[in-house]
Amino acid sequence: MSYLIEAVLNSEEKNNLREFISQLQESDQRYLLRNEILSSFDSFSTTKSEAQPYFSSNLGKLIYYTQEIILEKESICLIIRPKIAQQEAYRIFEDLNYEAMTVQQLLDTRDRFVNHFHPDEGDVFEIDFRPFYDYSPTIRDPKNIGRGVQFLNRYLSSKIFQDPNQWLEALYSFLSLHSYNGNTLLINGRIKDRKQLSDRIKQALNLVSGFPKSKPYEEFRFELQNFGFEPGWGNTAGRVRETLEILDELIDSPDYKVLEDFLSRIPMIFRIVLVSVHGWFAQEGVLGRPDTGGQVVYVLDQARSLEKQLQEDISLAGLDSLNIEPKVIILTRLIPNSDGTRCNERLEKVHGTDNGWILRVPLREFNPNMTQNWISRFEIWPYLETYAVDAEKELYQEFRGIPDLIIGNYSDGNLVSFLLARRLKVTQFTIAHALEKSKYLFSNLYWQDLEPNYHFSLQFTADLIAMNAANCIISSTYQEIAGRSDSVGQYESYDNFTMPDLYHVVNGIELFSPKFNIVPPGVNENVYFPYTRSEDRPPSKIEKLEELLFSTEDPSFIFGKLEDPGKRPLFSMARLDRIKNLTGLAECFANSPELQERCNLILVAGKIHGAETQDNEEREEIEKMYRIIEQHNLHGKMRWLGLRLPKSDSGEIYRVIADRRGVFVQPALFEAFGLTILEAMISGLPTFGTQFGGPLEIIQDGINGFYINPTNLEETASKILEFVSKCDQNPDYWHEISNQGIERVYSTYTWKIHTTKLLSLARIYGFWNYTSKEKREDLLRYIEALFYLIYKPRAKELLEQHWQR
């Protein structure tokens, strides 16, 4: 972007730049983000009577690409985003000379902004992961970020295929590796080396080619064994032949796509751990409580789908005779004072599974006042190291061995996954769900002010540890990794940042690493399905939920009585916290008399009484909701239900709203993905979703849903009103958007698609980790240094604070 600065300074536009900087200096604001920068420039252009598109001038372009401005006494610092996943920083002085800034200089500038200046260079600890990524391949084109497995497969295949002997030896060694409970899989000792493997494949192909495709594997099993082939190739002659043909092609004409097809069939994963430590993790009575919601639903649905896919894969591989039962364990914490939930039970079977379990391991009783009760996700950090040690023993007992794959969820679960995977030497996947650093503005700069409530020093350190240690990072969307051309991604925000007086992160994560893979979740199609499937909708449940939503009066959990229940319902369902922004939707509705005239607002949240919650943020949002209702006199125009719905009811509630041609609005200030958006869309509800986060990749604006800017209440109300007006003029328009939303989910966001891809990733990464013998020990030792030198001392401090409670 230096060329743009040069272009401005070498033209008459430099006077406009000087005046704009002068205008910024006159304001009290010293740190501006992109929206504020654009707004300030629009105001400046208006005063100059030169309002015009940004790209009509070099100065306009420069301002458009600027993400942050920091104003200092004698200079101005511009942080510019020239393209996705790239950042540049420049300092412009009073005389309009300028210089490029290093990352270290930028972080020092940010420190000065919050009065934490380090006068001596090197006076702050620097974290730099860049050298550890020099050993591994990196993606070049930003468009391919999140397609890591494709890149890795191509890159490593091209290297290993160049040496046929090395390639065959690696393949033979890998196939010789597999067994289950003492039963040899794939090949046995009759195939003694790589050359013999190739010969025997051709002999086996001659054998199975003479059988009918449907001939069961068990009827020719012993003939294959004589050639050296054990179970695992297929359940029928046709399936065995396909698998052997793929392998034969792979040996004779190696190709990365053929390799992927082959590895996707290999039975190598039977035991999976999903780690979700914090919160009230159970199947009933927990949704709507603090620290539960989308993540609990996600993990439960993922566990069911993984078991089902594993069962299907095992059967297709011809392993039924071995009586292999795949096992999926959700590892969470046991809460003795469980408040009527099942969170105090060690084992709970996952509904709808044969061998899926919730395994609850208690925290060690360092402080019974804390560990006997629910602990917020912001407070759980001191207990995780010993929790991982105890969990390892419990998992070994349940599996009678070690798992094949560990998948972490959220920051604390990912840290535990790292600790377990490090000890067990197992493939580790991480799923962030949400990175709090992106959700809480300036949370790293002002971490010391926020530390008493949020303990971000521990969380952000845990994030750095887990994301760099992981073999594979699963994200739901592209923007979660690298953002967009005009916004920074969640993982990208960890690339460089400062936590004043603690450390500088110079290179926190390599966005172009092939460990990043986009695998969006699905929806539970047994619970969430179109409102038109009347045969699957019990009339008694429909009637009960209609009464609950529109007429039941019970001040213990319902606030508001509708004057005209027949109006089109605007519906939203979420936790009452600041980020989910249900109060923002209420305010949007309150500020639009026309919306109030044509629609009712119906909100389903966890609570309606502040005294019922232990969560400070939820209590504040409850109080704010009441202020909005009273200030704008929304009585008779909205209903607010504070309840936790059984899962089957949460699916039907969308359909009841759809029966009345309602609208779903998701007004979050930021949403990492947006499961409720998928649930609403598959139910047939036209959906308005926040433009900040994952919904941008789910919704295609104006085709199967609509974007809203939840910070612009007037614009949001206007978009909803425009849709309602079109529906009033043409009722088919509601059905058109409804049907497009349903089709969007079924084509892209099912759990079948998710788990098929996830297991394929696990097999491919497992293969390359084994064959390439990746040297990760130096990286893991560096990560351990962060854990023991930064994380543990701060966790100990927090534990001491807990003793005072």
Side-chain angles (χ1 to χ4, degrees):
M1 281 288 136
S2 59
Y3 72 90
L4 263 183
I5 299 176
E6 290 278 1
V8 171
L9 297 181
N10 291 330
S11 70
E12 294 181 0
E13 289 186 81
K14 69 179 180 181
N15 294 322
N16 285 341
L17 174 61
R18 180 182 284 110
E19 290 182 39
F20 179 55
I21 292 174
S22 177
Q23 179 177 303
L24 292 178
Q25 295 281 14
E26 290 173 3
S27 72
D28 294 331
Q29 202 165 358
R30 316 312 294 166
Y31 203 129
L32 288 81
L33 300 179
R34 187 170 187 274
N35 283 345
E36 297 160 332
I37 295 166
L38 296 181
S39 176
S40 297
F41 189 72
D42 285 342
S43 299
F44 169 76
S45 298
T46 301
T47 61
K48 299 286 292 181
S49 302
E50 294 179 4
Q52 53 189 313
Y54 285 102
F55 285 83
S56 63
S57 71
N58 287 320
L59 178 58
K61 293 176 188 176
L62 178 64
I63 297 302
Y64 181 84
Y65 286 117
T66 300
Q67 293 289 309
E68 302 171 34
I69 289 179
I70 306 172
L71 298 163
E72 297 195 282
K73 286 184 179 179
E74 298 177 353
S75 66
I76 180 172
C77 173
L78 273 62
I79 296 95
I80 299 171
R81 185 176 175 78
K83 55 186 177 182
I84 284 175
Q86 188 172 324
Q87 174 184 282
E88 298 172 5
Y90 298 92
R91 177 174 280 118
I92 300 178
F93 298 96
E94 288 181 329
D95 60 2
L96 295 189
N97 282 317
Y98 78 97
E99 65 180 15
M101 298 174 66
T102 65
V103 171
Q104 287 87 344
Q105 289 171 331
L106 173 60
L107 299 182
D108 283 339
T109 301
R110 286 172 171 156
D111 280 352
R112 283 196 297 272
F113 175 75
V114 290
N115 298 316
H116 290 270
F117 177 57
H118 301 280
D120 300 318
E121 284 190 37
D123 194 30
V124 63
F125 176 53
E126 289 188 348
I127 297 173
D128 187 355
F129 280 97
R130 179 62 54 80
F132 301 105
Y133 288 95
D134 289 342
Y135 303 128
S136 61
T138 53
I139 294 166
R140 293 184 179 180
D141 189 340
K143 292 195 298 293
N144 292 324
I145 290 174
R147 300 175 182 172
V149 74
Q150 299 170 21
F151 174 84
L152 183 73
N153 220 17
R154 284 197 300 269
Y155 176 85
L156 293 178
S157 297
S158 66
K159 290 188 70 176
I160 199 169
F161 291 164
Q162 290 171 9
D163 185 340
N165 290 331
Q166 181 194 2
W167 158 236
L168 280 176
E169 187 60 42
L171 186 61
Y172 170 76
S173 177
F174 182 71
L175 293 176
S176 305
L177 180 72
H178 298 289
S179 64
Y180 180 84
N181 284 355
N183 295 302
T184 301
L185 304 179
L186 298 176
I187 64 175
N188 59 38
R190 291 187 176 92
I191 299 177
K192 300 186 183 304
D193 54 41
R194 61 179 188 262
K195 184 181 183 308
Q196 198 173 31
L197 172 65
S198 180
D199 295 339
R200 291 290 175 85
I201 289 170
K202 290 176 169 49
Q203 293 173 22
L205 276 171
N206 286 334
L207 173 71
V208 296
S209 296
F211 298 148
K213 287 185 177 181
S214 59
K215 185 181 179 75
Y217 165 73
E218 287 301 316
E219 294 184 11
F220 57 91
R221 172 179 178 175
F222 296 111
E223 293 173 83
L224 274 182
Q225 279 182 326
N226 288 332
F227 287 122
F229 295 99
E230 294 291 338
W233 298 97
N235 60 339
T236 64
R239 179 80 178 182
V240 170
R241 178 179 174 181
E242 286 176 9
T243 308
L244 289 172
E245 283 177 341
I246 294 171
L247 181 55
D248 190 44
E249 181 182 355
L250 191 57
I251 291 173
D252 291 343
S253 305
D255 177 82
Y256 76 91
K257 187 66 178 70
V258 178
L259 177 61
E260 182 176 335
D261 291 343
F262 177 69
L263 292 175
S264 296
R265 290 175 173 237
I266 295 299
M268 53 189 285
I269 297 173
F270 307 102
R271 309 177 185 95
I272 299 176
V273 181
L274 309 177
V275 186
S276 181
V277 182
H278 72 263
W280 304 86
F281 200 107
Q283 299 178 87
E284 299 97 14
V286 296
L287 294 184
R289 293 176 182 268
D291 289 344
T292 63
Q295 183 178 321
V296 172
V297 173
Y298 179 110
V299 175
L300 284 168
D301 286 345
Q302 187 185 57
R304 294 186 189 95
S305 187
L306 279 170
E307 186 204 48
K308 186 177 181 181
Q309 190 61 49
L310 287 172
Q311 289 171 336
E312 183 180 318
D313 291 348
I314 287 167
S315 181
L316 283 173
L319 301 181
D320 289 341
S321 63
L322 300 182
N323 296 318
I324 293 176
E325 287 190 358
K327 191 168 190 174
V328 179
I329 288 179
I330 299 169
L331 176 65
T332 189
R333 66 163 295 220
L334 186 146
I335 308 174
N337 296 334
S338 61
D339 195 22
T341 71
R342 298 183 66 180
C343 292
N344 62 344
E345 298 179 17
R346 179 180 178 274
L347 271 179
E348 179 185 354
K349 193 172 185 182
V350 176
H351 302 331
T353 67
D354 296 321
N355 205 14
W357 300 88
I358 301 171
L359 171 63
R360 300 187 182 91
V361 177
L363 304 179
R364 290 191 191 175
E365 290 193 356
F366 294 106
N367 179 357
N369 290 334
M370 295 293 295
T371 54
Q372 291 286 311
N373 303 302
W374 165 78
I375 300 175
S376 161
R377 69 186 189 275
F378 297 117
E379 301 275 347
I380 201 167
W381 307 106
Y383 311 99
L384 296 181
E385 184 182 13
T386 51
Y387 177 87
V389 173
D390 296 340
E392 179 186 353
K393 300 170 188 172
E394 298 286 337
L395 288 169
Y396 195 87
Q397 179 181 335
E398 290 302 315
F399 284 129
R400 294 184 176 86
I402 64 173
D404 303 307
L405 175 67
I406 299 175
I407 302 176
N409 292 272
Y410 194 71
S411 299
D412 56 335
N414 287 328
L415 183 69
V416 171
S417 296
F418 157 69
L419 294 170
L420 285 170
R422 178 69 166 139
R423 292 167 66 92
L424 298 173
K425 295 180 170 50
V426 175
T427 300
Q428 173 203 351
F429 283 19
T430 73
I431 303 174
H433 294 284
L435 290 163
E436 305 286 354
K437 186 173 176 297
S438 303
K439 292 167 62 176
Y440 291 85
L441 197 60
F442 294 130
S443 51
N444 59 289
L445 268 181
Y446 294 102
W447 71 272
Q448 287 159 304
D449 298 332
L450 298 168
E451 196 73 354
N453 292 323
Y454 295 104
H455 307 290
F456 286 140
S457 66
L458 283 157
Q459 181 155 11
F460 298 167
T461 305
D463 288 335
L464 287 170
I465 288 170
M467 65 179 63
N468 283 287
N471 299 105
C472 174
I473 298 174
I474 300 296
S475 75
S476 298
T477 62
Y478 178 93
Q479 66 79 33
E480 186 180 338
I481 308 169
R484 299 181 298 161
S485 59
D486 59 355
S487 63
V488 174
Q490 292 182 63
Y491 281 99
E492 185 182 2
S493 72
Y494 284 78
D495 185 30
N496 63 77
F497 65 94
T498 175
M499 299 192 80
D501 294 332
L502 184 61
Y503 54 63
H504 281 177
V505 177
V506 178
N507 291 287
I509 185 66
E510 175 54 74
L511 299 174
F512 291 83
S513 167
K515 70 168 61 181
F516 281 104
N517 287 276
I518 300 168
V519 188
V523 287
N524 185 333
E525 296 169 54
N526 295 319
V527 175
Y528 303 100
F529 53 83
Y531 73 101
T532 51
R533 266 172 49 185
S534 54
E535 67 275 12
D536 296 321
R537 301 179 60 192
S540 59
K541 181 172 287 189
I542 294 173
E543 184 179 349
K544 182 190 92 171
L545 289 175
E546 281 184 335
E547 290 178 0
L548 182 69
L549 286 169
F550 298 103
S551 59
T552 299
E553 295 183 41
D554 188 334
S556 68
F557 70 96
I558 298 176
F559 181 91
K561 180 180 179 181
L562 299 177
E563 293 172 354
D564 181 1
K567 290 180 182 177
R568 191 186 300 272
L570 301 182
F571 175 66
S572 195
M573 182 162 57
R575 294 191 312 274
L576 263 175
D577 65 28
R578 185 178 65 81
I579 298 297
K580 293 299 183 184
N581 194 38
L582 287 187
T583 53
L585 177 58
E587 199 167 356
C588 171
F589 182 73
N591 289 336
S592 175
E594 193 173 352
L595 262 185
Q596 296 172 41
E597 182 182 335
R598 302 172 74 170
C599 302
N600 289 318
L601 178 63
I602 299 175
L603 305 176
V604 174
K607 303 277 193 306
I608 68 167
H609 301 297
E612 296 175 349
T613 180
Q614 305 170 48
D615 187 274
N616 292 332
E617 196 170 287
E618 185 176 33
R619 189 180 304 111
E620 290 170 4
E621 288 297 295
I622 289 171
E623 293 168 358
K624 183 178 178 181
M625 186 73 78
Y626 281 118
R627 287 198 301 271
I628 292 168
I629 292 168
E630 294 302 324
Q631 181 181 345
H632 297 275
N633 190 23
L634 296 181
H635 300 286
K637 301 168 185 175
M638 72 170 280
R639 273 168 71 82
W640 170 18
L641 287 71
L643 75 166
R644 295 186 292 270
L645 292 168
K647 194 166 185 180
S648 58
D649 285 357
S650 71
E652 188 58 43
I653 210 164
Y654 290 112
R655 293 187 286 272
V656 168
I657 297 292
D659 289 336
R660 298 193 177 211
R661 303 302 178 261
V663 171
F664 180 76
V665 185
Q666 204 270 33
L669 298 175
F670 180 84
E671 183 62 60
F673 180 63
L675 270 177
T676 55
I677 285 177
L678 293 184
E679 293 166 1
M681 288 173 71
I682 200 172
S683 302
L685 268 180
T687 297
F688 290 74
T690 178
Q691 69 182 38
F692 301 121
L696 279 175
E697 292 178 41
I698 299 174
I699 293 171
Q700 295 162 311
D701 192 35
I703 298 173
N704 47 42
F706 305 90
Y707 302 147
I708 57 170
N709 178 350
T711 65
N712 189 328
L713 304 183
E714 184 178 346
E715 180 186 275
T716 297
S718 176
K719 283 194 170 186
I720 297 171
L721 275 170
E722 182 182 0
F723 173 76
V724 169
S725 297
K726 285 184 178 180
C727 293
D728 290 344
Q729 295 164 14
N730 176 17
D732 288 341
Y733 184 63
W734 186 94
H735 292 284
E736 178 185 328
I737 299 297
S738 169
N739 292 335
Q740 292 282 4
I742 293 169
E743 173 59 28
R744 173 67 171 164
V745 178
Y746 277 126
S747 65
T748 312
Y749 297 103
T750 68
W751 280 112
K752 171 71 173 175
I753 296 171
H754 172 93
T755 49
T756 299
K757 185 170 183 181
L758 185 67
L759 290 173
S760 176
L761 287 173
R763 293 176 180 121
I764 293 169
Y765 278 95
F767 173 76
W768 286 119
N769 287 343
Y770 174 77
T771 56
S772 65
K773 301 290 191 282
E774 184 185 4
K775 303 297 183 185
R776 283 168 38 94
E777 191 60 26
D778 53 354
L779 168 64
L780 293 172
R781 287 295 185 185
Y782 185 73
I783 288 170
E784 283 181 337
L786 297 184
F787 179 81
Y788 288 108
L789 299 179
I790 297 178
Y791 179 91
K792 277 197 73 170
R794 299 204 64 81
K796 185 178 179 181
E797 286 180 22
L798 180 56
L799 183 63
E800 291 170 354
Q801 294 172 27
H802 285 182
W803 273 110
Q804 308 305 316
R805 299 183 187 179

